[in-house]
Amino acid sequence: DELANRMSLFYAHSTPMTKSIIDVTHNTIRGHVGVSGDAVTDCLAILAAICYNAVAKGRAQGPHMVEYCLRVLVVCIILYDHVSPSGVFIKGSKLN
């Protein structure tokens, strides 16, 4: 049992909810004709920019809202990195 526990911790995803969101997004892009990868990356870039501006310009009121905006920003960046073929950390990325 000890060996099985160690192996499951090694092979398990570190963030299962993020992994689920990534899988659903990939399946949606592949499965629906009207949904393209560019449209999804555009939406993620816009959402990330909104969250960034809300925090940077002090529009997110209260510490809970700032934390929420930062969490959404991080998930948008991670999801963008998985959805975009070139990733988020390139010069021509839609995210600044």
Side-chain angles (χ1 to χ4, degrees):
D1 286 333
E2 183 66 28
L3 180 62
N5 286 338
R6 287 186 194 167
M7 287 178 62
S8 70
L9 288 174
F10 180 74
Y11 288 110
H13 294 287
S14 59
T15 52
M17 189 63 191
T18 306
K19 175 69 174 143
S20 298
I21 292 171
I22 291 167
D23 290 343
V24 167
T25 306
H26 277 297
N27 291 338
T28 302
I29 292 170
R30 283 189 223 123
H32 292 86
V33 178
V35 178
S36 67
D38 287 336
V40 172
T41 55
D42 286 343
C43 289
L44 290 170
I46 290 168
L47 186 57
I50 290 169
C51 291
Y52 172 77
N53 285 327
V55 172
K57 295 182 179 180
R59 294 182 182 152
Q61 298 177 357
H64 296 295
M65 193 60 173
V66 171
E67 290 175 8
Y68 178 75
C69 287
L70 291 175
R71 286 184 184 130
V72 171
L73 177 64
V74 169
V75 171
C76 285
I77 292 170
I78 292 169
L79 189 55
Y80 186 102
D81 193 44
H82 283 279
V83 171
S84 176
S86 55
V88 72
F89 300 106
I90 63 165
K91 190 173 185 176
S93 175
K94 297 173 188 171
L95 291 173
N96 291 334

